[in-house]
Short mmCIF file of all heavy atoms in Angstrom, two decimals:
data_model
loop_
_atom_site.label_atom_id
_atom_site.label_comp_id
_atom_site.label_asym_id
_atom_site.label_seq_id
_atom_site.Cartn_x
_atom_site.Cartn_y
_atom_site.Cartn_z
N VAL A 999 135.02 88.35 99.31
CA VAL A 999 134.95 89.45 98.33
C VAL A 999 133.62 89.41 97.59
O VAL A 999 132.98 90.45 97.36
CB VAL A 999 136.13 89.33 97.34
CG1 VAL A 999 135.96 90.34 96.20
CG2 VAL A 999 137.45 89.57 98.05
N LEU A 1000 133.19 88.20 97.21
CA LEU A 1000 131.95 88.08 96.46
C LEU A 1000 130.75 88.52 97.30
O LEU A 1000 129.85 89.22 96.81
CB LEU A 1000 131.77 86.64 95.99
CG LEU A 1000 130.52 86.36 95.16
CD1 LEU A 1000 130.48 87.23 93.92
CD2 LEU A 1000 130.44 84.88 94.77
N CYS A 1001 130.68 88.12 98.58
CA CYS A 1001 129.56 88.51 99.43
C CYS A 1001 129.49 90.03 99.59
O CYS A 1001 128.41 90.62 99.53
CB CYS A 1001 129.70 87.85 100.81
SG CYS A 1001 129.28 86.09 100.81
N ALA A 1002 130.66 90.66 99.79
CA ALA A 1002 130.68 92.12 99.90
C ALA A 1002 130.20 92.77 98.62
O ALA A 1002 129.43 93.74 98.63
CB ALA A 1002 132.09 92.59 100.26
N ARG A 1003 130.63 92.23 97.47
CA ARG A 1003 130.23 92.79 96.18
C ARG A 1003 128.73 92.63 95.95
O ARG A 1003 128.06 93.56 95.46
CB ARG A 1003 131.01 92.10 95.06
CG ARG A 1003 130.62 92.59 93.68
CD ARG A 1003 131.25 91.75 92.59
NE ARG A 1003 130.70 92.11 91.27
CZ ARG A 1003 130.87 91.39 90.17
NH1 ARG A 1003 131.59 90.26 90.22
NH2 ARG A 1003 130.34 91.79 89.04
N LEU A 1004 128.17 91.48 96.31
CA LEU A 1004 126.74 91.25 96.10
C LEU A 1004 125.90 92.16 96.99
O LEU A 1004 124.88 92.71 96.55
CB LEU A 1004 126.41 89.78 96.38
CG LEU A 1004 127.01 88.75 95.41
CD1 LEU A 1004 126.62 87.34 95.82
CD2 LEU A 1004 126.57 89.02 93.97
N ALA A 1005 126.30 92.32 98.27
CA ALA A 1005 125.55 93.19 99.17
C ALA A 1005 125.60 94.64 98.70
O ALA A 1005 124.57 95.35 98.69
CB ALA A 1005 126.10 93.08 100.59
N GLU A 1006 126.77 95.10 98.28
CA GLU A 1006 126.90 96.48 97.79
C GLU A 1006 126.12 96.67 96.49
O GLU A 1006 125.47 97.71 96.29
CB GLU A 1006 128.37 96.81 97.58
CG GLU A 1006 129.17 96.91 98.87
CD GLU A 1006 130.66 97.03 98.61
OE1 GLU A 1006 131.05 97.08 97.41
OE2 GLU A 1006 131.43 97.07 99.58
N GLY A 1007 126.17 95.70 95.60
CA GLY A 1007 125.44 95.79 94.34
C GLY A 1007 123.93 95.85 94.56
O GLY A 1007 123.22 96.61 93.89
N GLY A 1008 123.43 95.05 95.50
CA GLY A 1008 122.00 95.07 95.80
C GLY A 1008 121.55 96.41 96.35
O GLY A 1008 120.51 96.95 95.95
N ALA A 1009 122.33 96.98 97.28
CA ALA A 1009 121.98 98.29 97.85
C ALA A 1009 122.03 99.38 96.79
O ALA A 1009 121.15 100.25 96.73
CB ALA A 1009 122.94 98.62 99.01
N TRP A 1010 123.05 99.35 95.92
CA TRP A 1010 123.14 100.35 94.85
C TRP A 1010 121.96 100.23 93.90
O TRP A 1010 121.36 101.25 93.50
CB TRP A 1010 124.46 100.13 94.09
CG TRP A 1010 124.68 101.10 92.97
CD1 TRP A 1010 125.27 102.32 93.05
CD2 TRP A 1010 124.29 100.93 91.60
NE1 TRP A 1010 125.29 102.93 91.81
CE2 TRP A 1010 124.69 102.09 90.89
CE3 TRP A 1010 123.66 99.91 90.89
CZ2 TRP A 1010 124.47 102.25 89.53
CZ3 TRP A 1010 123.44 100.08 89.53
CH2 TRP A 1010 123.83 101.23 88.86
N LEU A 1011 121.60 99.02 93.55
CA LEU A 1011 120.49 98.79 92.63
C LEU A 1011 119.18 99.31 93.23
O LEU A 1011 118.35 99.91 92.54
CB LEU A 1011 120.38 97.31 92.31
CG LEU A 1011 119.32 96.90 91.29
CD1 LEU A 1011 119.53 97.60 89.96
CD2 LEU A 1011 119.33 95.38 91.10
N SER A 1012 118.96 99.10 94.53
CA SER A 1012 117.75 99.59 95.19
C SER A 1012 117.66 101.11 95.09
O SER A 1012 116.60 101.67 94.80
CB SER A 1012 117.75 99.15 96.65
OG SER A 1012 116.63 99.67 97.33
N ASN A 1013 118.78 101.80 95.32
CA ASN A 1013 118.78 103.26 95.24
C ASN A 1013 118.48 103.74 93.82
O ASN A 1013 117.75 104.72 93.62
CB ASN A 1013 120.13 103.81 95.69
CG ASN A 1013 120.35 103.66 97.19
OD1 ASN A 1013 119.39 103.60 97.96
ND2 ASN A 1013 121.60 103.60 97.60
N GLU A 1014 119.04 103.07 92.83
CA GLU A 1014 118.81 103.47 91.44
C GLU A 1014 117.35 103.27 91.04
O GLU A 1014 116.76 104.12 90.36
CB GLU A 1014 119.74 102.66 90.51
CG GLU A 1014 121.20 103.01 90.63
CD GLU A 1014 121.47 104.46 90.25
OE1 GLU A 1014 121.13 104.86 89.13
OE2 GLU A 1014 122.02 105.19 91.10
#
Side-chain angles (χ1 to χ4, degrees):
V999 172
L1000 181 58
C1001 285
R1003 178 189 171 193
L1004 294 179
E1006 291 171 3
W1010 181 88
L1011 183 58
S1012 177
N1013 290 334
E1014 290 298 304

